[in-house]
Amino acid sequence: MEAVGCSVAFEKDGVFLHTSAKRHPEHDSLLPGVIRIVEKGSDTLLQWTPVEEAGDAPQIVFSRKEPLPGVAEEEIFDPGYEPDWAVISTVRTRPQEEPLAPVPQPSPRAQWAFSLSLSELQSIRRSKPGLGWSYLIFISRDGGSLPALHFHRGGTKALLRALCKYLILAISPKDSRLYLVYSPGSYALSHAFEELQLFEENVSNPVSRFLQDPYTATFGGFSKVTNFFRGALHHEDGAPLRPSGEAAASVEDEPGFEVITCQVQLGPRPVVHREAPVTEQEWVQHLDLEGRVTCVDELKKRIFAGGLSPPLRKEAWKFLLGYYSWESSSEENRTQARCRTDEYFRMKLQWKSVSEEQERRNSLLRGYRSLIERDVSRTDRSNKFYQGSENPALVLLHDVLLTYCMYNFDLGYVQGMSDLLSPILYVTQNEVDAFWCFAGFMELVHHNFEESQESMKRQLGQLGLILRLLDPPLCDFLDSKESGSLCFCFRWLLIWFKREFAFTDVLQLWEVLWTGLPCPNFHLLVACGILDSERETLMTSEFGFNEILKHINELTMKKSVEEMLCRAEALYRQLAASPDLPRNVQELLGLGGSMGGSPSSDMAPSPRPLSPGQGPELDLPVAISSPQPDSSIEILPPEETPAALSPEL
């Protein structure tokens, strides 16, 4: 196809033009063809040419302008996050001495061929994921649309990457499937990126980062500057752009993401062993005469390294979850607990005092109550603590969750929260203590339950970022099986592995994660550890997408939390020892002295103590602020039967 003065920069066969919108068995309803990017002098063209069925399939070519002499180029495997994006494992250059392909003879199909200068390209629309073959529609600046090109053998991502060598593609703020096309020489666009410092200084085309990692690039970069970015692109009134200092100041607390352009050489992975759990005697040694905890950092390190002994959890969890303050004396914490008790009952009375007639006109409360009742009836029912239809622990689960709806009106109740409360109630065995510890836990993970799911998308992107750094071949394998989005890890991150480990193992895992050590987002490394333990099984199998999902789901209750914590800590030490980690990974893991700059800002290292003022202000008489007869219930250990209930004084 190359002619004098022309060079083919990209070529992909198996690209079909569907000439008939209706599915009739017409001979020419599907026209096979080749899509090419052709450099012709100072212009670059996008061409699609039909091919005859009897003709030889063209080679896949991808030549650089200045190839290294005598070295054949091989493109690194290029993963995609959408199932309809194809994976091209190897793309080779065409030897210069190879004879040029003959120009096909004119045929009736030739009328469908087209050629468009990239300078005339205004936008590109891609297909919706999961709807058959992926396709691209190219829209010119005069408003006309070229026929949709269907990539039966994949390759949309490879084409977009190739176009990024000549154009800047920006996702439309109004349509996530529409790429807006801009010239790299556009002053407003390039200056906007320079001022906001979203990307690496040496990265000339930031959109290539979106193609490598759409979740993190979209939510970690473009979302920060939607309005400013739009203003820069449509800067018609000639007003000056914002000063560099102002723009930088507006985003300095929310660092962007950088591209891992080369594989980081990691050192050997250290061997990690867990320590013995912290005992009650050791805990007492960290208390002063007034009951104030001393050497908190040292104590947290011990909890991270060994966990807590079961008898100590009831007390220690109140500190880890912000119910008690590390800096307060025993008396001060008891005083705080009394205030919290009054506050809890005021909130509980708010829904307890709603009559049936009122509730009929309150669809929100009815919806929360119905969902909570349904979830409570099936939460940890195999655990002896929650067995039996008349179990009082089920009543407390229900009451605490419904009271939390009064505490956090904006979030309310979302499925999965009962899984987070169940272990806390099991440990504290007290309604009020369980509520405030649960509220502290939700301070860490409430973003997981927001309707937009922005946090979950971001965390999956961050998990993929770390995993690709640790194990590129595993990521490449998952990408080739349309599992590169790591969607099978969604439940892990949503409820912190609650359904992946045995109930008692979850208690240890959570108290380790609550220390905030050794880094922010340590739960992502736990997820990496699980995947690392299944690496050989996955990569030596013939699993497809469904089989991978089934295999991961079947890991439930089969992993040792001790082993996974050792793996996760070993992965952290391996990464921390590398001097060449990308900046975004350093920030994600709190390395390089920027602990507070983690992109996962949803999750604080440790919950702050919750003050009574954080709850909703209720204008109720003082006379009803005291505990009600059916209120805070203390549950005796399950071994003592019958489980007697007594009011908390």
Side-chain angles (χ1 to χ4, degrees), residues 491-534:
R491 187 178 67 186
W492 298 0
L493 306 182
L494 179 68
I495 53 177
W496 276 26
F497 311 95
K498 166 61 168 54
R499 300 184 186 179
E500 317 313 318
F501 296 102
F503 190 87
T504 54
D505 284 349
V506 171
L507 307 183
Q508 181 183 357
L509 174 63
W510 283 4
E511 62 200 16
V512 167
L513 294 176
W514 290 336
T515 65
L517 299 175
C519 64
N521 303 301
F522 186 66
H523 65 300
L524 299 180
L525 291 175
V526 174
C528 288
I530 298 175
L531 294 174
D532 179 69
S533 69
E534 293 299 308

Side-chain angles (χ1 to χ4, degrees), residues 68-134:
L68 296 177
V71 178
E73 177 187 2
E74 183 169 335
E75 191 80 1
I76 299 176
F77 176 85
D78 189 12
Y81 279 83
E82 297 188 23
D84 61 333
W85 278 2
V87 174
I88 298 179
S89 56
T90 55
V91 186
R92 303 181 183 276
T93 57
R94 177 184 296 179
Q96 293 183 356
E97 62 273 16
E98 182 179 338
L100 300 179
V103 178
Q105 295 297 320
S107 69
R109 297 183 176 184
Q111 61 177 318
W112 296 99
F114 65 79
S115 177
L116 177 68
S117 172
L118 296 188
S119 62
E120 296 300 318
L121 188 60
Q122 176 173 289
S123 59
I124 305 172
R125 177 173 294 280
R126 64 180 178 87
S127 58
K128 188 175 182 179
L131 297 181
W133 292 305
S134 58

Side-chain angles (χ1 to χ4, degrees), residues 475-630:
C475 285
D476 291 348
F477 169 80
L478 294 175
D479 286 327
S480 69
K481 303 299 182 180
E482 298 183 347
S483 300
S485 64
L486 304 179
C487 60
F488 47 79
C489 301
F490 186 92
R491 187 178 67 186
W492 298 0
L493 306 182
L494 179 68
I495 53 177
W496 276 26
F497 311 95
K498 166 61 168 54
R499 300 184 186 179
E500 317 313 318
F501 296 102
F503 190 87
T504 54
D505 284 349
V506 171
L507 307 183
Q508 181 183 357
L509 174 63
W510 283 4
E511 62 200 16
V512 167
L513 294 176
W514 290 336
T515 65
L517 299 175
C519 64
N521 303 301
F522 186 66
H523 65 300
L524 299 180
L525 291 175
V526 174
C528 288
I530 298 175
L531 294 174
D532 179 69
S533 69
E534 293 299 308
R535 181 184 193 277
E536 184 176 355
T537 302
L538 291 173
M539 296 190 66
T540 57
S541 68
E542 298 296 329
F543 290 165
F545 174 83
N546 292 332
E547 290 78 14
I548 292 176
L549 183 62
K550 181 175 182 291
H551 177 76
I552 294 297
N553 285 336
E554 290 176 348
L555 296 178
T556 300
M557 306 298 170
K558 295 181 180 179
K559 292 294 181 181
S560 164
V561 74
E562 291 275 350
E563 180 188 351
M564 294 305 105
L565 286 173
C566 288
R567 283 181 180 267
E569 186 177 356
L571 293 174
Y572 169 76
R573 293 185 183 182
Q574 185 182 27
L575 291 170
S578 173
D580 302 321
L581 285 184
R583 185 180 65 254
N584 55 340
V585 177
Q586 294 182 32
E587 294 167 346
L588 187 60
L589 300 180
L591 301 172
S594 60
M595 291 283 289
S598 168
S600 183
S601 56
D602 329 312
M603 190 188 120
S606 181
R608 302 188 309 273
L610 299 173
S611 63
Q614 285 184 268
E617 289 293 330
L618 303 177
D619 187 14
L620 298 175
V622 178
I624 65 173
S625 63
S626 58
Q628 302 301 308
D630 67 333

Side-chain angles (χ1 to χ4, degrees), residues 135-212:
Y135 64 81
L136 295 176
I137 299 176
F138 298 91
I139 303 170
S140 62
R141 296 196 179 278
D142 61 8
S145 297
L146 296 174
L149 298 180
H150 296 255
F151 291 71
H152 290 200
R153 302 176 187 174
T156 56
K157 180 178 178 182
L159 175 59
L160 292 174
R161 285 180 58 87
L163 289 173
C164 286
K165 294 178 179 291
Y166 310 94
L167 304 168
I168 291 179
L169 304 182
I171 191 169
S172 170
K174 297 181 180 180
D175 187 345
S176 61
R177 296 193 292 118
L178 184 67
Y179 295 110
L180 305 179
V181 177
Y182 299 95
S183 167
S186 171
Y187 171 81
L189 183 63
S190 60
H191 192 62
F193 280 120
E194 290 175 3
E195 285 194 348
L196 293 169
Q197 300 177 355
L198 293 179
F199 307 101
E200 277 190 49
E201 182 178 352
N202 296 327
V203 177
S204 59
N205 193 347
V207 180
S208 63
R209 294 179 43 201
F210 172 81
L211 295 175
Q212 291 184 358

Side-chain angles (χ1 to χ4, degrees), residues 214-372:
Y215 285 141
T216 51
T218 301
F219 297 111
F222 290 123
S223 63
K224 295 186 293 185
V225 291
T226 301
N227 294 332
F228 178 72
F229 185 46
R230 188 184 301 121
L233 297 177
H234 302 285
H235 190 65
E236 299 176 354
D237 56 1
L241 297 172
R242 295 190 327 184
S244 301
E246 179 183 348
S250 65
V251 296
E252 63 179 355
D253 60 336
E254 190 177 355
F257 292 84
E258 64 188 33
V259 184
I260 301 178
T261 55
C262 60
Q263 184 174 341
V264 176
Q265 296 298 322
L266 300 177
R269 188 176 301 175
V271 178
V272 175
H273 300 285
R274 298 286 296 167
E275 298 180 6
V278 178
T279 63
E280 292 176 288
Q281 293 77 12
E282 185 177 354
W283 178 272
V284 171
Q285 294 174 1
H286 285 80
L287 302 179
D288 63 13
L289 296 178
E290 296 181 343
R292 188 177 288 105
V293 181
T294 61
C295 304
V296 175
D297 292 341
E298 178 184 339
L299 182 57
K300 284 185 177 181
K301 289 179 181 178
R302 277 287 294 118
I303 297 173
F304 171 78
L308 295 163
S309 60
L312 182 57
R313 285 182 174 135
K314 185 173 182 179
E315 179 74 7
W317 279 24
K318 298 175 184 178
F319 289 90
L320 290 171
L321 291 170
Y323 181 27
Y324 283 178
S325 171
W326 297 98
E327 293 78 21
S328 299
S329 65
S330 297
E331 182 59 32
E332 290 170 338
N333 279 325
R334 283 194 293 268
T335 301
Q336 180 78 339
R338 286 192 291 268
C339 295
R340 300 280 184 82
T341 300
D342 290 345
E343 184 179 4
Y344 174 77
F345 291 131
R346 287 198 300 270
M347 291 185 291
K348 182 175 181 179
L349 184 63
Q350 190 174 20
W351 63 266
K352 292 281 284 186
S353 60
V354 175
S355 66
E356 292 184 4
E357 183 179 354
Q358 287 177 304
E359 188 166 332
R360 282 198 298 269
R361 295 190 295 270
N362 191 332
S363 59
L364 186 61
L365 180 59
R366 288 200 313 272
Y368 286 151
R369 187 191 294 273
S370 174
L371 188 57
I372 290 171

